[in-house]
């Protein structure tokens, strides 16, 4: 087992003079030997301010250079960073700190966030702020100490909690998934086995994904550092600046969401030749619309991979070379998956071709151990050695898997099961659709009707245009939306996931005239 600190330490022993991290705001740069020394200095400073091994420490920051250092220093110290989404409201951040029994917090230099942290922590607990001092807080940039006073690194037990990462929380406050020390290698390894990333100092990685997300930390930051590469901080995503950075720094790996790639390709300074250095393109978080995926394939020469995973298990399935091929997924290098029958136990496996719930082997090293202070939620998700994803899938004859959406999102209309993602995939092929989300609305005759919530690229797109388009597609007629709602934007949570429950409420009001008379 290699821990996060082990992976950084080993990289420093292999390539001490190799550039490890570059700050986009200040221009600060650290080679690996310097990074290792700076991690010790920051760890010593945190220890001087009362943070000890085993303490759970909340961090709520964007992709800052100092945030990356603080996370690595907390890990070096033996504390447990709990990475909270920086886009949450201060009161929600405070509640997560309270629920998680945190012993310290590192937040932005903002009065509301500092007050929320101080009110949720035990009296006198350290409140450290990035970007300045707020009401007697400690400035993170000045938080350094004498590294010689720091105890030698003690390798923790494999099952000891290393980090806490929070789920997306589309139905309430997110749950904290406890990730064990043994998870680090597996959560890094898939970048090579599934995505084709090669080990070596040639790697130059742009940090598009947020550090408070498992992808941003393990796949991007640790992916760069664990493979002897360079991590380029992206503290605030600006598409034009991202294009300039890719060209100037000869970035080799881009890992982002479809939204990131759409913005980069739409930047006024974008040009295909500026992407010439990119060897590896990875996207996750949402399906990529067909026209966008086609353009990504045209504009990048590098290998493209689509990743399916969760905070709890990291990467369970992946789709290599997705451009122009059926969207089927295969298990990852360390993953064992199966499809369980709806309503059955995890041992009741569905036959090939039958829809059921996707289950992932929970004994894999990458898997979380529990939800922080949520035994009820843990028991619902971890059963007899399997993790219940809540996603609908079907196993194919060739061993690949078709993903069809969330169990809770399935629409039942006239006794037929309709998966929103299938309808959305068809709608997203229309050149006039920017975004869409499909939900069910109550109907007296059919039980539910399909409602499409659409964000158009330009004014003038009509329901008849979309209906005519779908009639000419491969989508079965009974799956076509019966109601279209055109919206300026889709409601989303702090991690940019669509809030279907909000759309269901809106769709129910819109569809009510169809069945109330």
């Amino acid at each position: 087992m290699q821990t996060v600190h082990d992976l950084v330490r080993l990289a420093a022993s292999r390539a001490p003079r190799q550039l490890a991290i570059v700050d986009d705001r200040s221009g600060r740069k650290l080679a690996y030997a310097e990074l290792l020394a700076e991690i010790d200095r920051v760890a010593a400073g945190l220890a001087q301010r009362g943070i000890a091994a085993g303490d759970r420490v909340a961090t709520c920051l964007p992709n800052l250079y100092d945030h990356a250092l603080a996370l690595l220093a907390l890990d070096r110290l033996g504390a447990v960073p709990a990475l909270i989404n920086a886009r949450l409201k201060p009161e929600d951040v405070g509640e997560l700190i309270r629920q998680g029994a945190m012993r310290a917090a590192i937040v932005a230099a903002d009065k509301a966030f500092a007050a929320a942290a101080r009110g949720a922590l035990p009296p006198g607990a350290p409140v450290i702020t990035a970007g300045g001092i707020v009401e007697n807080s400690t400035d993170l940039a000045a938080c350094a100490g004498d590294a010689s006073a720091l105890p030698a690194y003690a390798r923790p037990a494999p099952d000891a909690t290393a980090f806490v990462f929070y789920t997306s929380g589309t139905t309430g406050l997110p749950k904290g998934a406890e990730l064990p020390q043994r998870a680090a290698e597996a959560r890094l390894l898939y970048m090579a086995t599934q995505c084709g990333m090669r080990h070596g100092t040639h790697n130059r990685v742009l940090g598009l994904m947020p550090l408070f997300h498992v992808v941003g930390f393990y796949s991007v930051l640790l992916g760069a550092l664990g493979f002897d590469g360079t991590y380029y901080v992206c503290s605030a995503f600006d598409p034009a600046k991202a294009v300039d950075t890719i060209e100037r720094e000869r970035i080799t790996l881009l890992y982002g969401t479809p939204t990131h790639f759409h913005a980069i390709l739409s930047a006024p300074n974008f040009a295909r030749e500026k992407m010439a250095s990119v060897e590896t393109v990875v996207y996750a978080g949402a399906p990529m619309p067909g026209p966008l995926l086609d353009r990504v394939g045209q504009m990048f020469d590098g290998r493209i991979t689509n990743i399916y995973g969760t905070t709890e298990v990291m990467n369970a399935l992946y789709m290599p070379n997705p451009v122009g091929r059926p969207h089927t997924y295969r298990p990852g290098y360390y993953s064992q998956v199966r499809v369980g029958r709806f309503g059955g136990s995890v041992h009741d496996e569905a036959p090939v071709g039958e829809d059921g719930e996707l289950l992932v082997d929970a004994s894999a090293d990458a898997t979380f151990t529990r939800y922080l202070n949520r035994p009820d939620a843990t028991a619902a998700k971890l059963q007899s050695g399997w993790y219940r994803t809540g996603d609908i899938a079907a196993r194919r004859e060739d061993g690949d898997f078709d993903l069809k959406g969330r169990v809770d999102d399935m629409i039942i209309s006239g006794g037929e099961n309709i998966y929103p993602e299938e309808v959305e995939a068809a709608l997203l092929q229309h050149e006039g659709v920017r975004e869409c989300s499909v939900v069910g609305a109550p109907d007296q005759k059919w039980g539910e009707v399909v409602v499409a919530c659409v964000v158009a690229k330009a004014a003038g797109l009509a329901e008849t245009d979309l209906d005519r388009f779908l009639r000419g597609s491969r989508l079965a007629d009974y799956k076509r939306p019966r109601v279209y709602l055109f919206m300026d934007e889709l409601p989303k949570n702090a991690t940019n996931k669509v809030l279907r429950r909000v759309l269901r409420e809106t769709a129910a009001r819109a569809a009510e005239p169809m069945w109330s008379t």
Side-chain angles (χ1 to χ4, degrees):
M1 176 194 79
Q2 302 294 341
T3 66
V4 167
H5 186 69
D6 285 333
L7 291 167
V8 177
R9 177 182 54 79
L10 288 170
S13 70
R14 291 188 298 260
R17 296 180 181 176
Q18 164 68 18
L19 193 61
I21 187 169
V22 178
D23 184 15
D24 65 336
R25 290 188 171 184
S26 67
R28 290 175 291 181
K29 301 178 180 180
L30 292 174
Y32 274 93
E34 297 169 327
L35 173 63
L36 205 60
E38 189 65 11
I39 289 170
D40 279 355
R41 290 180 64 247
V42 176
L46 294 171
Q48 290 172 7
R49 286 156 180 83
I51 298 174
D55 285 351
R56 200 175 297 124
V57 179
T59 73
C60 184
L61 293 171
N63 279 18
L64 301 178
Y65 172 92
D66 289 323
H67 188 194
L69 287 180
L71 293 172
L72 297 173
L74 288 168
D75 176 65
R76 162 65 178 88
L77 191 58
V80 179
L83 292 82
I84 298 174
N85 190 329
R87 301 188 184 108
L88 290 175
K89 299 289 187 182
E91 54 269 27
D92 290 338
V93 173
E95 184 57 30
L96 290 176
I97 292 173
R98 185 177 295 105
Q99 290 180 3
M102 311 293 181
R103 304 295 301 176
I106 304 176
V107 299
D110 177 276
K111 288 185 178 181
F113 281 97
R118 187 169 282 111
L121 290 168
V127 174
I128 300 169
T129 48
I133 296 173
V134 178
E135 296 179 354
N136 298 318
S137 66
T138 298
D139 188 353
L140 177 59
C143 190
D146 181 2
S148 65
L150 196 66
Y153 177 66
R155 179 178 289 184
D159 286 334
T161 300
F163 295 87
V164 176
F165 282 86
Y166 286 85
T167 61
S168 59
T170 57
T171 57
L173 277 179
K175 300 185 294 291
E178 295 190 40
L179 306 186
Q181 295 284 350
R182 58 176 159 78
E185 278 184 294
R187 287 181 174 245
L188 169 63
L189 181 62
Y190 88 89
M191 290 298 293
T193 57
Q194 274 92 279
C195 304
M197 188 177 181
R198 298 176 296 115
H199 176 269
T201 56
H202 69 282
N203 288 300
R204 292 177 293 277
V205 181
L206 183 59
L208 296 177
M209 298 292 273
L211 287 169
F212 54 72
H213 191 283
V214 287
V215 165
F217 181 77
Y218 284 103
S219 308
V220 183
L221 175 63
L222 194 60
L225 301 182
F227 283 171
D228 300 357
T230 305
Y231 177 79
Y232 290 85
V233 176
C234 181
S235 55
F237 177 58
D238 179 296
K241 289 182 179 179
V243 169
D244 288 341
T245 301
I246 293 167
E247 181 185 29
R248 182 181 65 253
E249 305 297 348
R250 295 177 295 117
I251 296 297
T252 62
L253 185 142
L254 285 179
Y255 199 141
T257 65
T259 302
H260 284 119
F261 287 102
H262 178 272
I264 288 172
L265 267 60
S266 302
N269 59 336
F270 178 85
R272 188 182 190 281
E273 57 269 22
K274 295 181 179 181
M275 304 293 111
S277 61
V278 179
E279 299 178 355
T280 307
V281 172
V282 191
Y283 69 93
M288 187 175 285
L292 175 59
L293 182 56
D294 290 342
R295 188 152 185 249
V296 169
Q298 294 165 3
M299 295 297 111
F300 292 91
D301 292 327
R303 172 174 173 162
I304 302 172
T305 306
N306 177 209
I307 293 297
Y308 162 85
T310 69
T311 301
E312 294 87 344
V313 299
M314 199 65 190
N315 167 226
L317 301 171
Y318 74 109
M319 180 167 43
N321 305 314
V323 180
R325 65 181 295 271
H327 283 198
T328 59
Y329 293 79
R330 60 190 58 169
Y333 176 75
Y334 54 78
S335 301
Q336 181 180 355
V337 298
R338 62 163 61 154
V339 177
R341 287 185 186 272
F342 291 133
S345 75
V346 293
H347 303 295
D348 188 11
E349 192 166 0
V352 171
E354 182 178 304
D355 294 345
E357 182 180 6
L358 184 68
L359 309 172
V360 181
D361 177 15
S363 68
D365 285 345
T367 312
F368 83 126
T369 54
R370 66 187 67 83
Y371 292 114
L372 178 61
N373 297 332
R374 289 290 305 275
D376 55 333
T378 303
K381 283 290 191 178
L382 290 177
Q383 296 182 4
S384 300
W386 292 88
Y387 168 71
R388 307 189 70 138
T389 65
D391 288 322
I392 302 169
R395 189 182 185 96
R396 298 163 57 93
E397 290 282 356
D398 60 6
D400 286 352
F401 291 80
D402 292 321
L403 294 180
K404 302 189 177 184
R406 297 289 298 168
V407 173
D408 294 342
D409 294 336
M410 186 170 64
I411 302 165
I412 304 176
S413 182
E416 299 280 5
N417 294 342
I418 301 171
Y419 306 117
E421 281 80 358
E422 184 180 7
V423 185
E424 290 163 1
L427 282 169
L428 286 170
Q429 298 302 316
H430 192 287
E431 61 182 10
V433 175
R434 182 180 301 281
E435 286 187 293
C436 67
S437 184
V438 170
V439 295
D443 182 83
Q444 288 186 359
K445 180 179 179 180
W446 301 104
E448 286 184 292
V449 291
V450 179
V451 179
C453 305
V454 177
V455 178
K457 290 182 179 178
L461 185 64
E463 176 179 335
T464 52
D465 298 328
L466 296 177
D467 192 63
R468 186 183 310 111
F469 177 79
L470 292 183
R471 286 179 185 274
S473 75
R474 298 178 59 183
L475 188 73
D477 187 64
Y478 72 88
K479 299 177 182 179
R480 286 187 297 109
R482 296 302 186 261
V483 179
Y484 287 87
L485 299 178
F486 290 93
M487 314 177 78
D488 293 333
E489 59 182 5
L490 299 178
K492 297 177 181 179
N493 68 4
T495 58
N496 212 38
K497 288 192 175 181
V498 174
L499 295 170
R500 289 189 191 269
R501 59 178 174 80
V502 176
L503 290 179
R504 288 191 193 99
E505 294 170 0
T506 304
R509 291 193 296 270
E512 186 174 0
M514 296 176 59
W515 53 266
S516 62
T517 57

